[in-house]
Amino acid sequence: MIIQFKKPLNQEILKDILNTMKQEHHHGILVDNHLVVFDIDSFDFNERQKSVIDRIEQHQPRYVLSSRAFKSDDTIIKTAHNEIGGNNFTVMAGPCSVENEEMIHRLAAEVKAAGATVLRGGAFKPRTSPYDFQGLGVNGLKYLREAADENGLDVITEVMSVAEIESVGQYTDIFQIGARNMQNYELLKAVGRTHKPVALKRGLSATIDELLNAAEYIASEGNFNIMLVERGIRSFDGTYTRNVLDVGAVPVLHKLTHFPVIIDPSHAAGHADLVAPLAYAGVAAGAQGLLIEVHQDPARALSDAAQQLTPAQFTKLVDHVNKIRAIDHEDEL
Amino acid sequence: MIIQFKKPLNQEILKDILNTMKQEHHHGILVDNHLVVFDIDSFDFNERQKSVIDRIEQHQPRYVLSSRAFKSDDTIIKTAHNEIGGNNFTVMAGPCSVENEEMIHRLAAEVKAAGATVLRGGAFKPRTSPYDFQGLGVNGLKYLREAADENGLDVITEVMSVAEIESVGQYTDIFQIGARNMQNYELLKAVGRTHKPVALKRGLSATIDELLNAAEYIASEGNFNIMLVERGIRSFDGTYTRNVLDVGAVPVLHKLTHFPVIIDPSHAAGHADLVAPLAYAGVAAGAQGLLIEVHQDPARALSDAAQQLTPAQFTKLVDHVNKIRAIDHEDEL
Amino acid sequence: MIIQFKKPLNQEILKDILNTMKQEHHHGILVDNHLVVFDIDSFDFNERQKSVIDRIEQHQPRYVLSSRAFKSDDTIIKTAHNEIGGNNFTVMAGPCSVENEEMIHRLAAEVKAAGATVLRGGAFKPRTSPYDFQGLGVNGLKYLREAADENGLDVITEVMSVAEIESVGQYTDIFQIGARNMQNYELLKAVGRTHKPVALKRGLSATIDELLNAAEYIASEGNFNIMLVERGIRSFDGTYTRNVLDVGAVPVLHKLTHFPVIIDPSHAAGHADLVAPLAYAGVAAGAQGLLIEVHQDPARALSDAAQQLTPAQFTKLVDHVNKIRAIDHEDEL
Amino acid sequence: MIIQFKKPLNQEILKDILNTMKQEHHHGILVDNHLVVFDIDSFDFNERQKSVIDRIEQHQPRYVLSSRAFKSDDTIIKTAHNEIGGNNFTVMAGPCSVENEEMIHRLAAEVKAAGATVLRGGAFKPRTSPYDFQGLGVNGLKYLREAADENGLDVITEVMSVAEIESVGQYTDIFQIGARNMQNYELLKAVGRTHKPVALKRGLSATIDELLNAAEYIASEGNFNIMLVERGIRSFDGTYTRNVLDVGAVPVLHKLTHFPVIIDPSHAAGHADLVAPLAYAGVAAGAQGLLIEVHQDPARALSDAAQQLTPAQFTKLVDHVNKIRAIDHEDEL
């Protein structure tokens, strides 16, 4: 059960309630003015206790802090240059990997011009084979940060291990947790402790419930700055698309959770000419942002060569997306 | 290889070419001004033969008649009330099952008013269990036909067996082949022989290539009036959606085939509140039509109760879809 | 609920019970000494009625006739040369396609010598593309029948459409329903009406419940001579095996249904060198039979070239299988 | 290409070859008497260089060190009490979680008596929800170690993060990497640096190639003591089994890699009554070991209650497995 207290909190009665719960060996957590008690659905409060309670939600999913039952209004994540979630729409773009200093500076200017407000770029790359290009590491992060700052953009980049959190955290505004690490619980808890925004990518075969429970690992450490990224799921047919964009996950997640939902059409598509239609689909279904791979010369990219857009293609995509967004506003979707 | 001859056909030289092929034991089919030869990629034609040849396509997929290599421009299917495919957009709507005469007449008027031009409704229903409601049969077909005629609509309804083709064909304008029958080859060939429009639904775990090869069974009998219906594929997670709408199949099919691509968001969603976002996604990705279940009182429907829209919900959906379509036109997607 | 009456049936009281049910508008079916009533879980019988009732099963799955709740002991299917199911073990083998008269005669003798008692062979072949070899048709059936008769073997061959049932039925002892037709309900009902043994293959992405409901379509027409064939399901990885043999389906089906469970390792494997380990796995898990593709010269086969065994490989396989079976007997698995 | 040198290594000529490669900017690694060069398939060696080369393998998969191309004979992993791989068969058993000191001591004795030689038990548990029981931590490890030592058993337990490697490594003989961490590359590299045996579990939707590339991350750090664990993959049907045991992965992996292949039927089954048939299937298909959950009182287990065997069930299972193994030996599978 979730007990929502009236504000301002009456500390005395609250303490009394917590004591009562403790005496009866109930297991719970207190977040702001919410007390979540995991093992019971109702409780016989006395009148004095009732007087400070605003609302009681009897049933809550296992991923309680991530649920609409816990927080019914949309979470808005504030960064230096963005408000992400709610009625906002955020375009994040950049290369799969930061390959050198010059390329990321040029790209940052180009994606900014097209409408992006967050610069993406990989410095530590998770690659299927240990012999593939693993990214520029800390140098890549520096270039990325400088390019973003020069253009008034936020930075999003992947963090792959607990040990890297501090150094990556110095350069990024948003930690990206990759699909392969969606259930790397130590990493989730560690980014949870930073309180910095986290973009959590759905695992290739993760259910919606597993995604939300993974988010819960971050939230349970006190970090509510979470956005969820649908990036395509694995199916039986990989002939023409790399993965299947589960566009239905967008409205499903909006029902279940208050966190923003972002679409990554690049990894779902796997082929540049499919990125735009998937992006339009995601936006039409209600996504609150896009994460897109852009490269000046995709054919020569050191990773994900097939699926990156040129700046010109990206500009056209953002323009079309804005028109779809305009309808939604009009119709108050 | 596909040999496209100049028009009008020079019958004499064509006969000469066919004879040459026959003598050398090549295996092929002639469709209009196209000769498809399956077992070779090139041929040493003499000058006279070359003079009647417009274009030679050396490589073609196995589903040759269905491919863009065979026919590069979009197929437009003409019915009494519709042109389906190309830049047209067709809304097909109606109940999962025709339950009685009165309901289908009322619904026909309502979906027409909302913008539908094809009336759907099941009379012979494929049901997982033999003990589930199997449809009204021929009476259902009669009601459906009358309701459509009264409102100037085409009819689409499922045909489940070769034996039913004649009787169902008397009442319908479009044969629907259900997902479970996508590889029922006898049925495909039989509807192929009718030359009546066919809406072929993708099987639950059919690859894109299997879908196109299934269409080829119809086309190889001389029937090119085929539309392909993406209706959701089976995945590992059926908790919140019945299936996963493979929205990427829309642009993929547009690249590979000239046949129209229709989206069925109702069966993909499985829940009424998800139908609209999936429909918007499909349209934004380039679908040329929608197939949607509508019912006056979904909660009391004899089948698919959870996923049918009310006429009011459907009206709102079509209105929003039209706005997305308007952008596409503007941007010449 | 399932009401099992004492034998011999007291027709008078039975009629009384049926009348009572009818008057109260309950929906049911009577099979032998079992009355299945679908819409209720209990009923207030009078003492006279109770006196003829042996047992009442309150809950039954939707696939009632196929369930252990309806029939707790294993179904044994009797053919001219076999008893299939229960503690019997049946090896069915032969080529993917009957390619000519001579080959099937030689193969029949060879698989018989190795221990097979049923001869398989395709005469009408379901092929993904309409341009692939479609089988020899009725001639193939004749060769198959003669080859089987010459060697004292039963015949199993696929029937693909209602129209072919009569002609195929003249030549075969067991109808095979292919994976693509598992939910071709008209075909299921039609083979149900023949009362001839049916081997129902699980569809590529059919759930266990869907398989059992498909069997129910056959059983509901009065044909209980059904064996279920696990032949591999479609997964995300087709690199090294064609499909994934769901070996767990064997014990699961044994719990849920009384019908025999057969393993087809050839289609699951897709590569000859994997057929034996998959067969051993299936047998070790409790399968009651095997369906295996054997060809004198697999490399030159007109279909499924990669996965057919030579007679020598097949002989070795059967020998090893018999040893695994011997342990099971000993341990009364 | 893989260049295998004659033994003993001629250091002088080897150095010469390495220098030549370096000068021509080829990228390679030297492991024992093997030099793997990634970017070329052949090289024009001089006669002196040729004289020290035993064999050249021109093509190798991306997971080169893990491949049969690199090492054709089976890897045997030696621990205090076991030789794992090759013709050996290793039974690892114990509870899902170490719940207290007494239980693990009793269980250790019981699984030893039944034939297990490795004791499994979770101390740090990866759980879908942060609110589920997370294991006893270091205390659990101590109990586990003592119980194993008392009974002459090796220990296998999961390590979930780089930070825990040192402490877990003090207590365990084999690091288990769980399915969720199969592509946690930092963790793979870190256990690779320890040179301690690693049991790498296949991810829920990991392809065979991804599994082998994950193993390659460990091997590329110099640790060849790797066993691969098939524990069931995620499919479309979770009604009766938790996952689908991909039994075909066993022979496939034997073809591709020299590492031992272990089956975990407990997690594939998800239900105790299915563990035995899946174990038998895995063994019949050629698995070199089993990893099985055993608990004195499964119904009261703090995790995985449904799928743990009682010691009596486990004893029966091992007895039957030994009989299947005996056939294999006899037939030199």
Side-chain angles (χ1 to χ4, degrees), chain A residues 187-200:
Chain A
L187 183 58
L188 297 178
K189 286 189 282 187
V191 295
R193 288 187 291 269
T194 67
H195 293 216
K196 206 182 252 277
V198 179
L200 176 64

Side-chain angles (χ1 to χ4, degrees), chain B residues 169-180:
Chain B
Q170 287 172 31
Y171 298 100
T172 197
D173 300 293
I174 305 170
F175 284 124
Q176 179 178 303
I177 303 290
R180 293 171 176 89

Side-chain angles (χ1 to χ4, degrees), chain A residues 38 62 65 127-132 134 161 180 183-186 205 210 213 216-217 220 234, chain D residues 29 38 62 65 127-132 134 161 180 183-186 205 210 213 216-217 220 234:
Chain A
F38 287 107
R62 203 94 191 99
L65 307 179
R127 303 303 302 275
T128 301
S129 163
Y131 311 122
D132 289 337
Q134 308 271 320
S161 71
R180 294 171 175 89
Q183 292 188 314
N184 180 341
Y185 298 130
E186 294 307 313
S205 68
E210 287 169 344
N213 275 300
E216 192 75 5
Y217 267 94
S220 69
R234 182 158 271 177
Chain D
I29 52 175
F38 287 106
R62 203 95 190 101
L65 307 179
R127 303 303 301 275
T128 301
S129 162
Y131 311 123
D132 289 338
Q134 308 271 321
S161 71
R180 294 171 175 90
Q183 291 189 314
N184 180 341
Y185 298 131
E186 295 307 313
S205 69
E210 287 169 345
N213 274 299
E216 192 75 5
Y217 267 94
S220 68
R234 182 158 271 179

Side-chain angles (χ1 to χ4, degrees), chain C residues 7-301:
Chain C
K7 281 192 165 180
L9 284 172
N10 181 322
Q11 293 294 348
E12 196 193 320
I13 305 182
L14 175 60
K15 202 176 251 176
D16 170 48
I17 290 178
L18 293 178
N19 277 337
T20 313
M21 290 291 164
K22 206 172 171 183
Q23 278 158 24
E24 304 204 3
H25 302 291
H26 295 307
H27 173 53
I29 50 175
L30 182 71
V31 182
D32 289 336
N33 62 326
H34 294 75
L35 175 65
V36 182
V37 190
F38 287 106
D39 49 351
I40 45 173
D41 281 341
S42 65
F43 191 82
D44 198 17
F45 293 106
N46 62 37
E47 287 310 309
R48 191 162 166 265
Q49 291 171 329
K50 278 183 193 167
S51 72
V52 301
I53 294 176
D54 192 18
R55 183 179 70 101
I56 291 181
E57 186 75 42
Q58 289 190 285
H59 303 289
Q60 85 282 344
R62 202 95 190 100
Y63 47 87
V64 56
L65 307 179
S66 306
S67 73
R68 290 274 184 197
F70 179 78
K71 180 167 181 291
S72 57
D73 56 317
D74 281 9
T75 283
I76 312 278
I77 301 170
K78 288 178 187 158
T79 62
H81 303 286
N82 285 283
E83 298 202 347
I84 302 169
N87 290 320
N88 304 292
F89 191 82
T90 311
V91 179
M92 316 184 190
C96 175
S97 303
V98 180
E99 297 174 7
N100 58 63
E101 187 169 4
E102 191 265 339
M103 74 92 82
I104 191 67
H105 276 267
R106 268 186 54 203
L107 263 179
E110 291 183 299
V111 300
K112 171 72 184 271
T117 52
V118 181
L119 181 64
R120 65 151 286 156
F124 294 95
K125 299 294 306 169
R127 303 302 302 276
T128 302
S129 162
Y131 311 123
D132 290 337
F133 174 61
Q134 308 271 321
L136 292 186
V138 172
N139 279 339
L141 293 174
K142 284 182 189 159
Y143 303 153
L144 189 65
R145 180 75 265 168
E146 289 162 5
D149 288 345
E150 211 176 71
N151 292 279
L153 296 163
D154 287 325
V155 163
I156 180 172
T157 198
E158 179 159 355
V159 63
M160 288 172 59
S161 70
V162 176
E164 287 164 5
I165 286 180
E166 206 184 319
S167 67
V168 176
Q170 287 172 31
Y171 298 100
T172 197
D173 301 293
I174 304 169
F175 284 123
Q176 179 180 301
I177 302 290
R180 294 171 176 89
N181 276 323
M182 193 201 84
Q183 292 188 313
N184 180 341
Y185 298 130
E186 295 307 312
L187 184 58
L188 298 178
K189 287 189 282 186
V191 295
R193 286 187 292 267
T194 68
H195 293 217
K196 204 181 255 276
V198 179
L200 176 64
K201 287 197 161 188
R202 181 181 181 184
L204 271 179
S205 69
T207 63
I208 296 288
D209 282 346
E210 287 169 343
L211 173 61
L212 291 171
N213 275 300
E216 191 75 7
Y217 267 95
I218 302 170
S220 69
E221 298 288 337
N223 187 349
F224 282 73
N225 294 311
I226 301 169
M227 58 200 95
L228 303 170
V229 185
E230 163 59 36
R231 42 78 76 219
I233 55 173
R234 182 157 271 175
S235 91
F236 51 83
D237 191 8
T239 313
Y240 301 107
T241 53
R242 188 166 166 180
N243 297 291
V244 171
L245 184 75
D246 181 8
V247 77
V250 178
V252 166
L253 287 170
H254 283 326
K255 275 200 295 189
L256 301 174
T257 184
H258 47 90
F259 293 133
V261 179
I262 309 295
I263 287 286
D264 170 353
S266 303
H267 283 85
H271 301 278
D273 59 342
L274 300 175
V275 172
L278 291 186
Y280 305 157
V283 173
Q288 289 150 309
L290 288 171
L291 185 57
I292 290 185
E293 291 188 349
V294 181
H295 193 281
Q296 278 103 348
D297 188 358
R300 298 194 185 178

